[in-house]
Amino acid sequence: MYQDDLFEGETAVVTGASRGLGRSIAHRLATCGADIVVAARSSGDLATVADEIESETGSDVLDVTVDVRNVEAVERLAERATAFGDGTVEMLIANAGANFHAPVTELSENAWRTIVDINLDGTYRCCHAFADALAAANTGRVVTMSSVIGRDGTTESAHYSASKAGIEALSRSLAMEWAERDVRVNCVRPGLVATPGVEENRGLTAETVDRDAVDRTLGHPDEIADLTCFLVSPGASYVDGQTYTAEGVPQRPGSG
């Protein structure tokens, strides 16, 4: 979809890259020439992803184990990524996230805090830690990850919904603050996508997705990767502080 030298000489950091959307996004950016720092809590899966991307694309790949709930760990990630990128990081994809289903009345304080801490606070920590490295780039670009649940809400996911809505507001605020530093910040708001988690919970696999079909509400991880790639590309130079929704055909009246 994009030329293989689009991001040549640039460094991209992708959190939550051991599987799902993060894995697809990291691979897409590497295919377009970027050197990649993949980060996630699962070191074993992460090393496998790093090896695959490096062998399939020829890009340099650094894997860093990090828990975005830990401030010091995120700061170490920024230090290692900045050194890997010769002093700058051009792209940050703050994708790390988590969820589980439970009604509000059964959510403990700790359960609520855990999801908000990973999703919203983790996104803030990553953006905060990489602020100077992004500003040192010719034009820094950030993409954060929301969800249509952050827009619409849903049952048994109030904690997740609130955290994702917060990410959208954070992204708009950062875009306004960082424009003078030549850093663009945008957000992606996916609908239902055939990630490994969706396969485990619903039995829907990426192999069943027909990307040529319009009338569908299930996305492929590569479609979110393509949108993310656009938002960090020169083609999106006039796009800042926006949240882009990718959820297929709009729901028909009465379909819910």
Side-chain angles (χ1 to χ4, degrees):
M1 181 176 180
Y2 299 99
Q3 66 266 32
D4 57 11
D5 62 349
L6 181 62
F7 302 126
E8 186 173 353
E10 297 190 335
T11 299
V13 177
V14 183
T15 65
S18 62
R19 60 185 290 182
L21 298 183
R23 183 175 187 163
S24 293
I25 291 167
H27 197 283
R28 169 66 70 235
L29 297 178
T31 300
C32 293
D35 293 327
I36 307 293
V37 180
V38 289
R41 284 182 291 173
S42 175
S43 58
D45 292 342
L46 193 62
T48 299
V49 170
D51 289 343
E52 287 178 355
I53 293 174
E54 197 162 50
S55 64
E56 292 174 10
T57 68
S59 292
D60 291 332
V61 183
L62 172 68
D63 59 289
V64 180
T65 305
V66 63
D67 185 339
V68 296
R69 293 174 293 181
N70 185 302
V71 175
E72 290 76 17
V74 173
E75 290 174 347
R76 287 194 297 271
L77 168 64
E79 291 172 0
R80 293 190 63 186
T82 302
F84 181 71
D86 294 329
T88 64
V89 170
E90 283 75 17
M91 294 169 273
L92 169 65
I93 315 301
N95 169 74
N99 189 26
F100 62 87
H101 299 286
V104 171
T105 52
E106 296 179 12
L107 276 177
S108 66
E109 177 73 19
N110 183 64
W112 173 279
R113 171 45 49 192
T114 295
I115 296 303
V116 174
D117 198 14
I118 294 172
N119 296 349
L120 176 56
D121 297 350
T123 298
Y124 153 74
R125 291 186 190 102
C126 289
C127 291
H128 187 275
F130 280 93
D132 290 340
L134 289 161
N138 183 35
T139 300
R141 290 92 76 194
V142 178
V143 174
T144 62
M145 199 62 60
S146 181
S147 165
V148 294
I149 294 175
R151 177 196 65 194
D152 301 336
T154 191
T155 58
E156 300 190 347
S157 282
H159 46 324
Y160 181 78
S161 175
S163 69
K164 291 298 186 177
I167 288 171
E168 295 185 19
L170 171 64
S171 303
R172 288 193 298 273
S173 297
L174 285 177
M176 289 185 277
E177 286 190 19
W178 287 359
E180 64 183 18
R181 306 184 77 184
D182 290 329
V183 177
R184 294 192 292 108
V185 184
N186 290 291
C187 182
V188 173
R189 183 197 282 151
L192 185 64
V193 179
T195 61
V198 168
E199 181 176 355
E200 292 163 7
N201 293 325
R202 303 195 185 195
L204 302 172
T205 67
E207 289 71 23
T208 65
V209 178
D210 179 4
R211 292 189 63 174
D212 292 328
V214 175
D215 191 7
R216 60 188 168 95
T217 56
L218 178 65
H220 191 285
D222 286 349
E223 292 175 308
I224 306 304
D226 287 340
L227 176 55
T228 302
C229 189
F230 163 70
L231 289 173
V232 295
S233 75
S237 57
Y238 194 44
V239 179
D240 195 16
Q242 304 303 308
T243 296
Y244 273 61
T245 302
E247 61 176 334
V249 64
Q251 291 294 293
R252 300 172 179 82
S255 64

Coordinates of all heavy atoms in Angstrom, one line a residue, residues 30-85:
A30 N 7.6 -1.2 9.5 CA 8.9 -1.8 9.1 C 8.9 -2.1 7.6 O 9.9 -1.8 6.9 CB 9.2 -3.1 9.9
T31 N 7.8 -2.5 7.1 CA 7.7 -2.8 5.7 C 7.9 -1.5 4.9 O 8.4 -1.5 3.8 CB 6.3 -3.4 5.3 OG1 6.1 -4.6 6.0 CG2 6.1 -3.6 3.8
C32 N 7.5 -0.4 5.5 CA 7.7 0.9 4.9 C 9.1 1.6 5.2 O 9.3 2.8 5.0 CB 6.6 1.9 5.3 SG 5.0 1.4 4.7
G33 N 10.0 0.8 5.8 CA 11.4 1.2 5.9 C 11.8 1.7 7.3 O 12.9 2.0 7.5
A34 N 10.8 1.8 8.2 CA 11.2 2.3 9.6 C 12.0 1.3 10.4 O 11.7 0.1 10.2 CB 10.0 2.7 10.3
D35 N 12.9 1.7 11.2 CA 13.5 0.9 12.2 C 12.5 0.8 13.4 O 11.9 1.9 13.7 CB 14.8 1.4 12.7 CG 15.9 1.3 11.6 OD1 15.8 0.3 10.8 OD2 16.8 2.1 11.5
I36 N 12.3 -0.3 14.0 CA 11.2 -0.5 15.0 C 11.7 -0.9 16.3 O 12.6 -1.7 16.5 CB 10.3 -1.6 14.5 CG1 9.8 -1.3 13.0 CG2 9.1 -1.7 15.4 CD1 8.9 -0.1 12.8
V37 N 11.1 -0.2 17.3 CA 11.3 -0.7 18.7 C 9.9 -1.3 19.1 O 8.9 -0.6 19.2 CB 11.6 0.5 19.7 CG1 11.7 0.0 21.1 CG2 12.9 1.1 19.2
V38 N 9.9 -2.6 19.4 CA 8.7 -3.2 19.8 C 8.7 -3.4 21.3 O 9.7 -3.8 21.8 CB 8.4 -4.6 19.1 CG1 8.1 -4.4 17.6 CG2 9.7 -5.5 19.2
A39 N 7.6 -3.1 22.0 CA 7.6 -3.1 23.4 C 6.3 -3.8 23.9 O 5.2 -3.6 23.3 CB 7.7 -1.7 24.0
A40 N 6.4 -4.6 24.9 CA 5.3 -5.3 25.5 C 5.7 -6.0 26.8 O 6.9 -6.0 27.1 CB 4.7 -6.3 24.6
R41 N 4.7 -6.4 27.6 CA 5.0 -7.1 28.8 C 5.5 -8.5 28.6 O 6.3 -9.0 29.5 CB 3.8 -7.2 29.7 CG 3.4 -5.9 30.4 CD 2.2 -6.0 31.2 NE 1.0 -6.2 30.4 CZ -0.2 -6.5 31.0 NH1 -0.3 -6.7 32.3 NH2 -1.3 -6.7 30.2
S42 N 5.1 -9.2 27.5 CA 5.5 -10.6 27.3 C 6.8 -10.7 26.5 O 6.8 -10.5 25.3 CB 4.4 -11.3 26.5 OG 4.7 -12.6 26.2
S43 N 7.9 -11.0 27.2 CA 9.2 -11.0 26.6 C 9.4 -12.1 25.6 O 10.0 -11.9 24.5 CB 10.3 -11.1 27.6 OG 10.1 -12.2 28.4
G44 N 8.8 -13.3 25.8 CA 9.0 -14.4 24.9 C 8.3 -14.1 23.6 O 8.9 -14.3 22.5
D45 N 7.1 -13.7 23.6 CA 6.3 -13.4 22.4 C 7.0 -12.2 21.6 O 7.0 -12.2 20.4 CB 4.9 -13.1 22.6 CG 4.1 -14.3 23.1 OD1 4.6 -15.5 22.9 OD2 3.0 -14.2 23.7
L46 N 7.4 -11.3 22.4 CA 8.0 -10.1 21.8 C 9.3 -10.4 21.0 O 9.5 -9.8 19.9 CB 8.3 -9.1 22.9 CG 8.6 -7.6 22.5 CD1 7.4 -7.0 21.8 CD2 9.0 -6.8 23.7
A47 N 10.1 -11.2 21.6 CA 11.4 -11.6 20.9 C 11.0 -12.3 19.5 O 11.7 -12.1 18.5 CB 12.2 -12.5 21.7
T48 N 10.0 -13.1 19.5 CA 9.6 -13.8 18.3 C 9.1 -12.8 17.3 O 9.5 -12.9 16.1 CB 8.5 -14.8 18.6 OG1 8.9 -15.8 19.5 CG2 8.0 -15.5 17.4
V49 N 8.3 -11.8 17.7 CA 7.8 -10.8 16.8 C 9.0 -10.0 16.2 O 9.0 -9.7 15.0 CB 6.8 -9.9 17.5 CG1 6.5 -8.6 16.7 CG2 5.6 -10.6 17.9
A50 N 9.9 -9.6 17.1 CA 11.1 -8.8 16.6 C 11.9 -9.6 15.6 O 12.3 -9.0 14.5 CB 12.0 -8.5 17.8
D51 N 12.1 -10.9 15.8 CA 12.8 -11.7 14.8 C 12.1 -11.8 13.5 O 12.7 -11.7 12.4 CB 13.1 -13.1 15.4 CG 14.1 -13.1 16.5 OD1 14.9 -12.1 16.7 OD2 14.1 -14.1 17.3
E52 N 10.8 -12.0 13.6 CA 10.0 -12.1 12.4 C 10.0 -10.8 11.5 O 10.2 -10.9 10.3 CB 8.5 -12.4 12.7 CG 8.3 -13.8 13.2 CD 6.8 -14.1 13.6 OE1 6.0 -13.1 13.6 OE2 6.5 -15.2 13.9
I53 N 9.9 -9.7 12.2 CA 9.8 -8.4 11.5 C 11.2 -8.2 10.8 O 11.3 -7.7 9.7 CB 9.5 -7.3 12.4 CG1 8.0 -7.4 12.9 CG2 9.7 -5.9 11.8 CD1 7.6 -6.4 13.9
E54 N 12.3 -8.4 11.6 CA 13.6 -8.2 11.1 C 13.9 -9.0 9.9 O 14.4 -8.6 8.9 CB 14.6 -8.4 12.2 CG 16.0 -7.8 11.9 CD 16.8 -7.7 13.2 OE1 16.9 -8.7 13.9 OE2 17.3 -6.6 13.5
S55 N 13.6 -10.3 10.0 CA 13.9 -11.2 8.9 C 13.0 -11.0 7.6 O 13.4 -11.2 6.5 CB 13.7 -12.7 9.3 OG 12.4 -13.0 9.7
E56 N 11.7 -10.6 7.8 CA 10.8 -10.4 6.7 C 10.9 -9.0 6.0 O 10.6 -8.9 4.9 CB 9.4 -10.6 7.2 CG 9.1 -12.0 7.6 CD 7.7 -12.2 8.2 OE1 6.9 -11.2 8.2 OE2 7.4 -13.3 8.7
T57 N 11.4 -8.0 6.8 CA 11.5 -6.6 6.2 C 12.9 -6.1 6.0 O 13.0 -5.1 5.2 CB 10.7 -5.7 7.1 OG1 11.4 -5.5 8.3 CG2 9.3 -6.2 7.4
G58 N 13.8 -6.6 6.8 CA 15.2 -6.1 6.7 C 15.4 -4.9 7.6 O 16.5 -4.3 7.6
S59 N 14.4 -4.4 8.2 CA 14.5 -3.3 9.2 C 15.3 -3.7 10.4 O 15.2 -4.9 10.8 CB 13.2 -2.7 9.5 OG 12.6 -2.0 8.4
D60 N 15.9 -2.8 11.1 CA 16.5 -3.1 12.4 C 15.4 -3.0 13.4 O 14.5 -2.1 13.4 CB 17.6 -2.0 12.8 CG 18.8 -2.2 11.9 OD1 19.1 -3.3 11.4 OD2 19.5 -1.1 11.7
V61 N 15.4 -4.0 14.3 CA 14.3 -4.1 15.3 C 14.9 -4.3 16.7 O 15.8 -5.2 16.9 CB 13.3 -5.3 15.0 CG1 12.2 -5.3 16.0 CG2 12.8 -5.1 13.6
L62 N 14.5 -3.6 17.7 CA 14.8 -3.7 19.1 C 13.6 -4.1 19.9 O 12.6 -3.4 19.8 CB 15.4 -2.4 19.6 CG 15.7 -2.3 21.1 CD1 16.9 -3.2 21.5 CD2 16.0 -0.9 21.5
D63 N 13.7 -5.2 20.7 CA 12.6 -5.5 21.5 C 12.9 -5.2 23.0 O 14.0 -5.4 23.5 CB 12.3 -7.0 21.4 CG 13.4 -7.9 21.8 OD1 14.4 -8.0 21.0 OD2 13.3 -8.6 22.8
V64 N 12.0 -4.5 23.6 CA 12.1 -4.1 25.0 C 10.9 -4.5 25.8 O 9.8 -4.1 25.5 CB 12.3 -2.5 25.1 CG1 12.4 -2.1 26.5 CG2 13.4 -2.0 24.2
T65 N 11.1 -5.2 26.9 CA 10.1 -5.6 27.7 C 9.7 -4.5 28.7 O 10.6 -3.9 29.3 CB 10.5 -6.9 28.6 OG1 10.9 -7.9 27.7 CG2 9.3 -7.3 29.4
V66 N 8.4 -4.1 28.7 CA 8.0 -3.0 29.5 C 6.6 -3.2 30.0 O 5.7 -3.7 29.2 CB 8.2 -1.7 28.7 CG1 7.2 -1.6 27.5 CG2 7.9 -0.4 29.6
D67 N 6.3 -2.8 31.2 CA 5.0 -2.7 31.7 C 4.6 -1.2 31.8 O 5.3 -0.5 32.6 CB 4.9 -3.3 33.1 CG 3.5 -3.4 33.7 OD1 2.6 -2.6 33.2 OD2 3.2 -4.2 34.6
V68 N 3.7 -0.7 31.0 CA 3.4 0.7 31.0 C 2.8 1.2 32.3 O 2.6 2.5 32.4 CB 2.4 1.0 29.8 CG1 3.1 0.7 28.5 CG2 1.1 0.3 29.9
R69 N 2.5 0.4 33.2 CA 2.1 0.8 34.5 C 3.3 1.3 35.4 O 3.0 2.0 36.4 CB 1.3 -0.3 35.3 CG 0.0 -0.7 34.7 CD -0.6 -1.9 35.4 NE 0.2 -3.1 35.2 CZ -0.1 -4.3 35.6 NH1 -1.2 -4.4 36.4 NH2 0.7 -5.3 35.4
N70 N 4.5 1.0 35.0 CA 5.7 1.3 35.7 C 6.4 2.5 35.1 O 6.9 2.4 34.0 CB 6.6 0.1 35.7 CG 7.8 0.3 36.6 OD1 8.6 1.2 36.4 ND2 7.9 -0.6 37.6
V71 N 6.4 3.6 35.8 CA 7.0 4.9 35.3 C 8.5 4.7 34.9 O 8.9 5.1 33.8 CB 6.8 6.0 36.3 CG1 7.6 7.3 35.8 CG2 5.4 6.3 36.6
E72 N 9.2 4.0 35.8 CA 10.6 3.9 35.6 C 10.9 3.0 34.3 O 11.8 3.2 33.6 CB 11.3 3.2 36.8 CG 11.4 4.2 38.0 CD 10.1 4.3 38.7 OE1 9.2 3.5 38.5 OE2 10.0 5.3 39.5
A73 N 10.0 1.9 34.2 CA 10.2 1.1 33.0 C 9.9 1.8 31.7 O 10.6 1.6 30.7 CB 9.3 -0.1 33.2
V74 N 8.9 2.7 31.7 CA 8.6 3.4 30.5 C 9.7 4.4 30.2 O 10.1 4.6 29.0 CB 7.3 4.2 30.7 CG1 7.0 5.1 29.5 CG2 6.1 3.2 30.8
E75 N 10.3 5.0 31.2 CA 11.4 5.9 31.0 C 12.6 5.2 30.5 O 13.3 5.7 29.6 CB 11.8 6.6 32.3 CG 10.7 7.6 32.8 CD 10.9 8.3 34.1 OE1 11.8 7.7 34.9 OE2 10.3 9.2 34.5
R76 N 12.9 4.0 30.9 CA 14.0 3.2 30.4 C 13.7 2.8 28.9 O 14.6 2.8 28.1 CB 14.2 1.9 31.2 CG 14.8 2.1 32.6 CD 15.3 0.8 33.2 NE 14.2 -0.1 33.5 CZ 13.5 -0.1 34.6 NH1 13.8 0.7 35.6 NH2 12.5 -1.0 34.8
L77 N 12.4 2.5 28.6 CA 12.1 2.3 27.2 C 12.4 3.5 26.4 O 13.0 3.4 25.3 CB 10.6 2.0 27.1 CG 10.0 2.0 25.7 CD1 10.6 0.9 24.8 CD2 8.5 1.8 25.8
A78 N 12.1 4.7 26.8 CA 12.4 5.9 26.1 C 13.9 6.1 25.9 O 14.4 6.5 24.8 CB 11.8 7.1 26.8
E79 N 14.6 5.8 26.9 CA 16.1 6.0 26.9 C 16.7 5.0 25.8 O 17.5 5.4 25.0 CB 16.7 5.7 28.2 CG 16.4 6.8 29.2 CD 16.9 6.4 30.6 OE1 17.4 5.3 30.8 OE2 16.6 7.2 31.6
R80 N 16.3 3.7 25.9 CA 16.8 2.7 24.9 C 16.4 3.0 23.5 O 17.1 2.9 22.6 CB 16.3 1.4 25.4 CG 16.9 0.9 26.7 CD 16.7 -0.6 26.9 NE 17.3 -1.4 25.9 CZ 17.1 -2.8 25.8 NH1 16.3 -3.4 26.6 NH2 17.7 -3.5 24.8
A81 N 15.1 3.5 23.3 CA 14.6 3.8 22.0 C 15.3 5.0 21.4 O 15.6 5.0 20.2 CB 13.1 4.0 22.0
T82 N 15.6 6.0 22.2 CA 16.2 7.2 21.8 C 17.6 6.9 21.3 O 18.1 7.4 20.3 CB 16.2 8.3 22.9 OG1 14.9 8.5 23.2 CG2 16.8 9.6 22.3
A83 N 18.3 6.0 22.1 CA 19.7 5.6 21.7 C 19.7 4.8 20.4 O 20.5 5.0 19.6 CB 20.3 4.8 22.9
F84 N 18.7 3.9 20.3 CA 18.5 3.1 19.1 C 18.3 4.0 17.9 O 18.7 3.7 16.8 CB 17.4 2.1 19.3 CG 17.1 1.2 18.2 CD1 17.9 0.2 17.9 CD2 15.9 1.4 17.4 CE1 17.7 -0.7 16.8 CE2 15.6 0.5 16.4 CZ 16.5 -0.6 16.1
G85 N 17.6 5.1 18.1 CA 17.2 6.0 17.0 C 18.2 7.2 16.9 O 17.9 8.2 16.3

